[in-house]
Amino acid sequence: MVRKADVVIIGAGPAGLAAGLYTARLGLETIILEKSALGGQVSVAPFIENYPGFVRISGEELAKRFIEHAKIMGAEIKGGEPAEKLELSGDVKKVITPRNTYEADAIIIATGASRQKLNVPGEKEFEGRGVSYCAVCDGAFFKGKTVAVVGGGNTAVTEALHLAQLVKKLYVIHRRDDFRAEIALKERLLSYSNVTPLWNTIVEAIEGDNVVRRLKLRDLKSNKTYYLEVDGVFVAIGMIPNSKIASEAGVAVDEKGFIIVNRRQETNIRGVFAAGDVTGGVMQVGVAVGEGIIAAMSAFEHVTGGWYAKKKVLKAVKIDFSKLGEETKEPRETLFKFKL
């Protein structure tokens, strides 16, 4: 089946949802495609304390607000529909999924990035049996046990903070002699009595029987190897851009695979824009939202020819603010109840 729209956005994380609510509000027919969970990486963050306007909010709640906002503005969000192929030559761009072919005047790629793996013996074998990449998803399985987190950036420390409240003993393994995370995060983590950092250390293998039992570690200063008994290990060592589908269609990427964009979030192909973690740089929710907005504004100008052009007649935008709860004096807990 062929579906036509003004803009198709690939990815329903913060960048894609921000772009979608803007393009929809500007009068462009907008379809957002997402292969998995709506909300992207932010939806599994245990908490967020640096998104403006929220002193502290769960990632799940923030993602719900993004989704509802985009829907209210008129964006059509289609979850469980992965983009499998892009055809970007010509004025009409095509996004091909297992169900449909979408044709649009502009495409915004907001496919995000995935957790980088250690690529050590045992990692693949024990994935789902002690090896995890998401503390919020799997942390409860290790309540009262001994686990390790590998990594030293914001993601690793945030994961560790969530686990520290659940487990008996937590080791944080980092190849350097200090965390790269924000000071507030690392100070909070090190205040837990059950947390022990292992500096200048790398994982060389993950071992066990039916489940993870121990890690083979190497001390980079002494070059000695030793074993650490654990029930599980959470890997948070960096991100790999989900840009394969874009690069295969001719979108330029850098040596690490991140999509190359200019200040307007334009790629090397006219009518194709990119935003969020898939473009690299500072991977923060606020940055992704900002880039999504820029991509939306640039896509709007591309589709319409600009604010004062008559290239395209836009549809009237009708926003039902009664859905927001406060206006109808509904209890706040009903504010974000919606069917995906």
Side-chain angles (χ1 to χ4, degrees):
M1 177 179 172
V2 177
R3 294 273 320 267
K4 294 186 177 181
D6 296 320
V7 180
V8 171
I9 299 168
I10 307 171
L17 292 169
L21 78 87
Y22 262 72
T23 54
R25 189 174 183 275
L26 288 167
L28 299 181
E29 185 175 351
T30 301
I31 295 175
I32 304 175
L33 304 175
E34 173 55 56
K35 67 178 181 179
S36 53
L38 302 184
Q41 296 274 354
V42 68
S43 64
V44 295
F47 61 86
I48 294 172
E49 297 178 328
N50 57 0
Y51 190 76
F54 298 95
V55 175
R56 185 181 176 94
I57 186 171
S58 73
E60 180 183 14
E61 178 65 14
L62 187 59
K64 285 182 179 180
R65 297 189 183 204
F66 285 160
I67 295 163
E68 184 70 358
H69 197 168
K71 285 185 173 182
I72 288 172
M73 291 302 164
E76 180 181 355
I77 305 176
K78 301 184 73 63
E81 188 160 359
E84 293 186 333
K85 183 180 179 182
L86 305 180
E87 295 181 2
L88 305 178
S89 60
D91 292 334
V92 177
K93 316 300 181 186
K94 295 181 180 181
V95 181
I96 300 169
T97 77
R99 303 176 194 171
N100 302 292
T101 294
Y102 295 89
E103 295 183 348
D105 297 321
I107 301 291
I108 298 175
I109 302 169
T111 45
S114 299
R115 293 286 179 87
Q116 185 173 330
K117 297 190 176 182
L118 289 168
N119 294 318
V120 298
E123 181 178 21
K124 184 177 181 180
E125 177 186 353
F126 290 107
E127 186 170 342
R129 294 189 293 131
V131 174
S132 175
Y133 303 89
C134 176
V136 174
C137 310
D138 301 328
F141 295 116
F142 297 91
K143 189 173 183 179
K145 297 184 177 181
T146 298
V147 302
V149 171
V150 185
N154 283 339
T155 300
V157 173
T158 301
E159 296 271 276
L161 280 167
H162 177 72
L163 291 168
Q165 302 172 68
L166 299 172
V167 303
K168 178 182 179 181
K169 182 65 180 179
L170 174 64
Y171 296 96
V172 185
I173 302 166
H174 187 39
R175 63 185 304 122
R176 296 182 174 85
D177 58 6
D178 193 10
F179 294 128
R180 293 179 292 107
E182 297 168 6
I183 293 176
L185 291 176
K186 66 181 183 181
E187 286 184 348
R188 189 179 311 166
L189 178 63
L190 294 174
S191 71
Y192 281 89
S193 60
N194 62 337
V195 173
T196 298
L198 300 177
W199 308 119
N200 304 297
T201 302
I202 61 172
V203 177
E204 291 199 334
I206 301 170
E207 300 180 359
D209 37 47
N210 293 325
V211 294
V212 170
R213 296 298 184 189
R214 63 180 186 172
L215 304 177
K216 182 181 179 182
L217 305 179
R218 180 176 295 276
D219 185 310
L220 295 176
K221 284 196 170 182
S222 66
N223 203 35
K224 292 181 179 180
T225 61
Y226 63 99
Y227 288 93
L228 180 69
E229 303 291 324
V230 296
D231 299 298
V233 55
F234 291 79
V235 181
I237 58 171
M239 308 297 287
I240 298 175
N242 300 323
S243 60
K244 183 179 179 181
I245 188 175
S247 62
E248 289 178 343
V251 176
V253 298
D254 65 16
E255 67 279 0
K256 294 183 178 180
F258 292 101
I259 295 177
I260 299 170
V261 293
N262 61 17
R263 289 175 62 86
R264 291 171 50 82
Q265 303 303 131
E266 296 169 318
T267 69
N268 61 307
I269 300 177
R270 179 175 170 77
V272 180
F273 308 85
D277 290 355
V278 75
T279 66
V282 180
M283 294 187 180
Q284 294 286 305
V285 178
V287 174
V289 168
E291 290 182 354
I293 293 169
I294 295 170
M297 302 300 287
S298 297
F300 170 79
E301 292 187 13
H302 172 78
V303 171
T304 64
W307 292 99
Y308 302 105
K310 296 182 179 179
K311 181 177 176 181
K312 179 179 177 62
V313 177
L314 301 177
K315 66 179 181 180
V317 180
K318 295 182 180 180
I319 304 171
D320 184 3
F321 286 105
S322 66
K323 295 179 181 179
L324 290 177
E326 282 86 353
E327 285 73 17
T328 57
K329 302 185 185 304
E330 295 175 1
R332 185 161 186 84
E333 58 266 26
T334 68
L335 182 57
F336 297 105
K337 289 184 178 178
F338 53 88
K339 186 176 181 181
L340 298 182

